[in-house]
Amino acid sequence: VRTGKHGQPTPSIVTRRPSPADVVVAAGARWLARANRCVVPALVGLALAGYILIYAGGLARSPVRSDGFGYYAYLPAVVVHGDPLFERLVADCCGGDFRWYGIQRWPGTGRWVDRYPIGVAVLVAPAYLLAHAVTLWSGMPADGFSLLYVHGAGLSAIVAFGIGLALLRRVLLRLYSPPSVTATLLVVALGTNLVHYATWDPLYSHIYSFALISALLWLVPTWFTDPTTRRSALLGLLAGLIVLVRHPNVIFLLLIPLYGIIGPRDLGPRVRLLAARRWSIVLALVVFGAVLFPQLALYRAATGQWLVSSYGDQWFDFAHPRVAGVLFSVRKGLFFWSPALIGAVAGLFVMRDAARLWRVPATVVLALHTYIVASWWVYGSGYGHRAFTDALAIAALPLGSVLVSAGRRPRLALIVSALAGLAIALSLAQMIQVWLGVMPMHDVTWKQYRRLFLRFR
Amino acid sequence: VTTSAPVRSQPARIGIVGVIVVTAVVLLAALRDPPWLGGVTSGLSPWIDAGDGGRVRWTTGHATFYVPSDAASIVIPIRAVRLTDDLLPLVVDLQVDGRLVQVVRFENEQWRRVRIAVGLLRRVRRVRRIEIRVSRTHAQSWRGVQLGAVDCETADGRRLDGQAACR
């Protein structure tokens, strides 16, 4: 307590006129709080507008292309031709030969093997089946690739985008105030390549992985609170789908045992807790196995083996991970193309209160994921580094902490808001450059990047 | 901070279900034999310049287009393009509304003008679905199949230019 001129005590916190920064930040926080309920519908509307622009505007011909064809091919093979081994599909769609590296005849058996797993097709199947029924009803070409099929499947990505964001919003509301949650969702959705993989490449696996991992983040704390039979089965289902959509994403399942661990002293109690819940875990594992079984059975039918590397001789090089390349390079660097995510790294150091329960799992999983991504041979074309799109829901957790921390200091909040706004604007501008064909989707050089910077023709 | 979803009343639920059902019925009615179906194609590339003043488009293994159902006959210019000089044939099945009407066997790159008397077939919708299925018996021998502009005529010899996929 300070003393005044006449010795009387004066409070250390005095009422003062709010600074312009206080006023702006308070107004921004009020706006973000009000926008919290409508942020997900607004982002879904924006993605839908982008999808319409791409396909009605002629920027791309069909959502079924490149890797997306490989993920999609199971649907016409099974629904239209009733043959998951592709013989009838290849005869019908492609004159007897896919002429594409993604689906190849397996040496030894001579059967077709799709290098892309069945998970995306499983998740898209409801929309595809509806499209098939309406196609038959309308008299449109029931070949598995006509208008309703491909856009039924393509629009499933917008649904996944919306479900993923809605679940992530719920996860974040457990940890942060509504204004911080709104800001985090805006940065994750618009400051990264998330919209691109919901619209331009809607049949790649990444947007589905994002949605499933958001669902896992939502479910895990409730499972630890009360592991009911339903929650345990749902945990197994989500875990199975995460692996079914993209096999290396099995590492994201580490979030389950690591949730709530803050330091080494928590490990023993955690092991004892999991042992006490062994029957819930057995149930989750049974469901997990049941979800994976169709994929394993398909590998068995096509190759004679239950477990195969569908990528053949293309494999991870764990001895030589290119960490700097995948994080910082012009070619595909995560932070180069999505600089807003630097905030997520900073956030790992300021996760407090309830968010601390996610600090160790998020750090471990993001570090492992980076190592695995950096050990892969190449990540083809696309916008930004698409392997990290899967992990954006996890990155949102520390990102929210950074925004909460910044929000406590009005001037810092203004600076962080301005940086986040710039990062979002840059990310959206570059995404549109990619859509317009101005910015190449792969092997961009620094010279090329500088020449094309913010050019739209 | 947690949020819970607002509980909807029974009439509100019935209203939502009703709106969904009505929307579905209206959509299905609009999608039954729609007038724009004639403009739909599948398994065909955009038109490209053939070099001789005409235009062609490539087919995939299964191409579909539509012609007006009042056409009595159509003529489809079609040819196969080689990759190699061996003599393995390429076979094209032509179907109208799902019925096989003609099989064309290609052993060279000559254009064929395939005439189909579609008027003899039962009329199902306002347009007829023409499907072309390509079987490259030896995939490495053939690059693919090209189609030219389709000529459509009614029974009294009137041309149907500009309707559905007609020239």
Side-chain angles (χ1 to χ4, degrees):
Chain A
V1 176
R2 294 173 187 166
T3 51
K5 192 165 59 175
H6 304 291
Q8 81 278 22
T10 56
S12 60
I13 299 170
V14 294
T15 307
R16 63 174 173 84
R17 285 185 64 189
S19 69
D22 293 332
V23 174
V24 171
V25 169
R30 278 197 301 275
W31 183 84
L32 288 170
R34 277 201 302 270
N36 186 264
R37 276 190 179 278
C38 60
V39 65
V40 174
L43 288 168
V44 170
L46 192 72
L48 191 59
Y51 187 94
I52 292 167
L53 173 73
I54 290 166
Y55 296 105
L59 299 179
R61 272 198 79 198
S62 165
V64 179
R65 58 179 189 276
S66 190
D67 292 11
F69 181 90
Y71 288 109
Y72 177 88
Y74 296 102
L75 292 164
V78 173
V79 176
V80 178
H81 300 288
D83 170 26
L85 294 177
F86 300 111
E87 288 296 347
R88 285 185 218 154
L89 173 68
V90 74
D92 188 68
C93 78
C94 312
D97 184 1
F98 284 111
R99 291 188 177 184
W100 177 64
Y101 62 89
I103 307 176
Q104 292 185 317
R105 288 203 184 273
W106 190 257
T109 62
R111 296 203 173 117
W112 294 104
V113 174
D114 189 340
R115 66 163 52 170
Y116 306 95
I118 65 173
V120 170
V122 168
L123 295 174
V124 167
Y128 192 85
L129 288 167
L130 182 65
H132 185 53
V134 177
T135 295
L136 292 173
W137 166 262
S138 67
M140 293 181 74
D143 57 7
F145 291 91
S146 61
L147 188 79
L148 296 181
Y149 292 106
V150 297
H151 289 296
L155 287 167
S156 297
I158 307 280
V159 176
F161 175 76
I163 291 173
L165 285 175
L167 290 169
L168 183 58
R169 175 176 167 270
R170 287 183 172 217
V171 171
L172 294 172
L173 280 171
R174 290 173 183 156
L175 310 176
Y176 310 121
S177 63
S180 306
V181 171
T182 308
T184 307
L185 289 173
L186 288 172
V187 172
V188 166
L190 303 178
T192 69
N193 57 8
L194 195 64
V195 169
H196 179 85
Y197 286 100
T199 54
W200 183 271
D201 284 322
L203 287 161
Y204 283 33
S205 62
H206 309 293
I207 195 71
Y208 302 96
S209 292
F210 164 76
L212 290 167
I213 290 163
S214 294
L216 190 70
L217 296 177
W218 166 75
L219 181 65
V220 165
T222 58
W223 184 82
F224 272 102
T225 308
D226 185 8
T228 61
T229 303
R230 196 174 151 190
R231 282 179 186 157
S232 300
L234 190 55
L235 194 66
L237 176 71
L238 279 177
L241 287 173
I242 285 170
V243 179
L244 204 61
V245 166
R246 200 155 181 269
H247 299 341
N249 285 357
V250 68
I251 60 145
F252 290 110
L253 304 187
L254 283 172
L255 290 168
I256 304 168
L258 291 178
Y259 171 72
I261 288 182
I262 292 168
R265 277 187 294 181
D266 298 321
L267 288 172
R270 173 50 47 90
V271 170
R272 286 192 289 279
L273 177 71
L274 293 176
R277 293 184 175 182
R278 57 190 172 279
W279 294 114
S280 299
I281 294 170
V282 166
L283 173 62
L285 285 173
V286 168
V287 176
F288 176 76
V291 171
L292 286 185
F293 181 75
Q295 178 72 76
L296 301 179
L298 193 58
Y299 285 149
R300 170 84 175 158
T303 69
Q305 300 158 44
W306 288 100
L307 291 172
V308 297
S309 168
S310 56
Y311 277 76
D313 55 359
Q314 292 165 347
W315 190 240
F316 295 95
D317 183 2
F318 290 116
H320 304 96
R322 286 171 289 183
V323 176
V326 299
L327 293 182
F328 303 109
S329 72
V330 182
R331 191 180 171 206
K332 277 278 166 270
L334 172 70
F335 298 126
F336 184 87
W337 292 96
S338 302
L341 291 175
I342 292 169
V345 179
L348 290 170
F349 299 95
V350 292
M351 291 176 90
R352 296 201 176 90
D353 305 325
R356 276 180 83 202
L357 301 174
W358 284 114
R359 185 160 71 180
V360 169
T363 307
V364 169
V365 168
L366 290 175
L368 263 177
H369 185 60
T370 303
Y371 174 63
I372 290 172
V373 170
S375 302
W376 186 240
W377 58 290
V378 70
Y379 275 92
S381 70
Y383 171 51
H385 204 308
R386 57 195 166 93
F388 287 99
T389 311
D390 303 30
L392 285 176
I394 302 169
L397 303 171
L399 193 60
S401 284
V402 157
L403 297 176
V404 168
S405 297
R408 295 195 188 107
R409 302 172 190 82
R411 283 190 186 163
L412 182 61
L414 281 182
I415 293 167
V416 169
S417 302
L419 289 174
L422 281 174
I424 287 173
L426 180 66
S427 180
L428 290 175
Q430 290 178 165
M431 182 179 74
I432 290 168
Q433 284 183 301
V434 166
W435 290 4
L436 294 174
V438 175
M439 187 69 78
M441 289 201 194
H442 53 87
D443 296 338
V444 179
T445 62
W446 175 238
K447 189 178 169 187
Q448 207 173 13
Y449 180 82
R450 278 193 310 173
R451 185 167 56 78
L452 298 172
F453 187 70
L454 297 185
R455 281 180 54 187
F456 294 94
R457 299 180 173 204
Chain B
V1 179
T2 58
T3 57
S4 57
V7 179
R8 289 200 170 85
S9 63
Q10 188 75 1
R13 278 190 204 159
I14 293 169
I16 291 168
V17 171
V19 167
I20 291 170
V21 169
V22 169
T23 306
V25 169
V26 169
L27 271 176
L28 284 176
L31 284 169
R32 182 69 180 168
D33 198 14
W36 44 263
L37 188 56
V40 171
T41 64
S42 181
L44 288 169
S45 74
W47 288 102
I48 54 171
D49 191 351
D52 58 359
R55 293 185 311 158
V56 296
R57 44 188 174 178
W58 291 96
T59 75
T60 59
H62 185 172
T64 307
F65 59 88
Y66 293 85
V67 296
S69 60
D70 50 350
S73 70
I74 60 170
V75 176
I76 308 171
I78 185 168
R79 77 159 178 160
V81 179
R82 280 191 169 288
L83 281 175
T84 61
D85 288 333
D86 56 43
L87 292 174
L88 293 163
L90 180 143
V91 178
V92 171
D93 291 350
L94 290 150
Q95 296 182 347
V96 178
D97 289 334
R99 293 171 59 184
L100 182 66
V101 293
Q102 206 152 341
V103 178
V104 187
R105 189 182 167 91
F106 289 91
E107 291 184 351
N108 57 44
E109 292 192 335
Q110 291 294 313
W111 278 99
R112 309 267 190 95
R113 289 179 63 79
V114 180
R115 177 176 290 273
I116 305 173
V118 289
L120 299 175
L121 303 167
R122 190 171 68 89
R123 180 173 162 159
V124 181
R125 296 170 190 264
R126 74 176 79 196
V127 286
R128 292 189 189 279
R129 189 174 71 245
I130 312 296
E131 286 174 276
I132 294 174
R133 291 168 187 265
V134 180
S135 173
R136 290 177 307 200
T137 49
H138 187 249
Q140 307 308 319
S141 301
W142 297 92
R143 185 172 169 205
V145 166
Q146 289 182 336
L147 299 184
V150 178
D151 288 315
C152 311
E153 273 188 12
T154 59
D156 57 6
R158 183 166 52 88
R159 290 176 62 87
L160 296 169
D161 291 357
Q163 295 184 35
C166 304
R167 177 187 295 275

